[in-house]
Amino acid sequence: MSAATLSIGSTAVVCRSTVAELVRAEIRFTLRSPLLWLGAAVYGGTAVLPEFTGQTASDSSNDLYMTYQFTSGALALAAFLVAVWAAARERPATTTELFANTPARRWERTVGLLGAVVVPFAMALVIGCVQLVVIQARGGIAVGHEPWQVDLVPTPLELLGAPLAVACSFVAGVTVVRLVRSRAVSALLGVVGAAFLFLFFWLWYVVPFALFAVYRTALTSQELTGEPTDAELSRFAAASLPDEYTTTFSGIDRDLAFYGLHLLFVVGLTVTLAGIALLHSGSDRRSWRVLAAGLLVAGVAVVAQLLWVDGATDWMGIL
């Protein structure tokens, strides 16, 4: 057995240094992708526009805040397509692998691909930081209707929303290719998925969809029986008037604990997808550990969200 490999049971495992080199190689490949940089340019170029920093008028009480990270969908789609292309690349020539010192299995190659997720995640994080500085300089994003309107500045916790959604999209691209083995089908699924997650963003603010959201913000709302009272205003950051979609006054708040559980679910979902990709990349017991960890985190996050949200259990008829 080569000095650069280990043996766990009956399974030959490439050493960590080799896996780390695979990760670095995939990171370099991802960084060279024009499509990923195009997605980052679209996200970065639009993230600082007045339409996404709360400086334009809106009839809706909270659409400005709900969509300030909206254009991260461009980077999420690009990350998915880049992952699809990378995962569907042809393996090195057989003779090349035969003469390599430490031939890597398909499993290690998938680990390398998954490690490249740091590139789109970092891109989204940097763009989000710049956007946050611009929003703060402009005084925040308007939420609610006069006379109960306030300007809110996103918190550092909310800054993680877009990067985690982009990272999940990248990992999903690797997973889809490992399952369907077709670039065309995988790319089509990515386009449909990105449209469903970002273009129909309002779906992810109601139960039960909010419990399984990959992308949303921390705003929550609650219908009021009438015009907001002083006692009710003390419980909410802002309030809105009735409109064509809502026939009652609504109290609007920013529930960071609920949002934190949402982010935990996205982490769990991302790890679960990674586990599925690894399971379809070869026999290795560590794949099951990754999958189990992801399912556990995602499951706990969903249950905790359900128990945390006021009225969610009543809405679903559980209690």
Side-chain angles (χ1 to χ4, degrees):
M1 183 174 62
S2 170
T5 61
L6 300 174
S7 179
I8 299 179
S10 59
T11 304
V13 180
V14 173
C15 275
R16 292 179 180 177
S17 59
T18 302
V19 174
E21 184 55 40
L22 288 171
V23 172
R24 287 191 288 270
E26 293 298 341
I27 287 176
R28 290 191 294 269
F29 175 85
T30 304
L31 278 171
R32 291 195 298 267
S33 170
L35 180 59
L36 190 66
W37 284 102
L38 176 61
V42 172
Y43 178 29
T46 55
V48 296
L49 294 178
E51 290 81 359
F52 299 104
T53 51
Q55 299 302 302
T56 58
S58 174
D59 293 332
S60 175
S61 60
N62 52 15
D63 271 3
L64 293 176
Y65 200 96
M66 290 169 64
T67 58
Y68 75 92
Q69 292 179 323
F70 177 76
T71 53
S72 64
L75 181 54
L77 177 58
F80 183 95
L81 296 177
V82 169
V84 166
W85 183 265
R89 291 201 315 272
E90 292 295 331
R91 295 181 60 182
T94 303
T95 52
T96 302
E97 282 217 350
L98 285 176
F99 285 100
N101 291 328
T102 56
R105 302 172 301 158
R106 184 180 177 86
W107 194 90
E108 281 84 18
R109 294 181 184 281
T110 299
V111 172
L113 285 167
L114 294 173
V117 71
V118 299
V119 175
F121 177 86
M123 286 180 170
L125 187 61
V126 170
I127 295 170
C129 288
V130 173
Q131 184 186 39
L132 183 60
V133 171
V134 173
I135 292 174
Q136 190 166 20
R138 290 178 174 174
I141 301 176
V143 175
H145 289 142
E146 294 291 355
W148 313 291
Q149 181 175 297
V150 298
D151 294 326
L152 297 179
V153 176
T155 62
L157 180 67
E158 294 170 274
L159 184 64
L160 295 174
L164 285 177
V166 169
C168 186
S169 180
F170 182 90
V171 173
V174 177
T175 304
V176 169
V177 170
R178 289 294 182 255
L179 290 173
V180 302
R181 302 176 185 275
S182 169
R183 285 179 179 173
V185 174
S186 299
L188 178 61
L189 290 174
V191 172
V192 173
F196 189 64
L197 291 175
F198 289 90
L199 295 182
F200 301 102
F201 63 89
W202 59 85
L203 291 175
W204 307 106
Y205 288 85
V206 294
V207 177
F209 304 109
L211 305 176
F212 306 97
V214 175
Y215 160 79
R216 65 178 177 82
T217 57
L219 288 188
T220 59
S221 64
Q222 182 176 330
E223 293 184 359
L224 305 177
T225 56
E227 187 170 327
T229 64
D230 291 339
E232 288 174 328
L233 289 175
S234 66
R235 296 166 45 208
F236 300 103
S240 64
L241 297 167
D243 56 28
E244 59 179 319
Y245 303 108
T246 306
T247 58
T248 64
F249 290 87
S250 298
I252 304 172
D253 202 3
R254 184 166 55 180
D255 193 333
L256 295 179
F258 183 32
Y259 188 72
L261 291 172
H262 148 70
L263 295 181
L264 186 64
F265 168 75
V266 178
V267 172
L269 176 62
T270 304
V271 175
T272 298
L273 291 172
I276 295 173
L278 291 171
L279 280 172
H280 285 79
S281 299
S283 176
D284 195 298
R285 70 185 69 174
R286 291 170 293 181
S287 302
W288 291 104
R289 298 172 189 169
V290 174
L291 180 63
L295 289 173
L296 178 62
V297 172
V300 168
V302 169
V303 172
Q305 286 183 83
L306 178 61
L307 297 178
W308 198 286
V309 183
D310 292 337
T313 51
D314 293 335
W315 190 93
M316 299 187 74
I318 295 176
L319 296 178

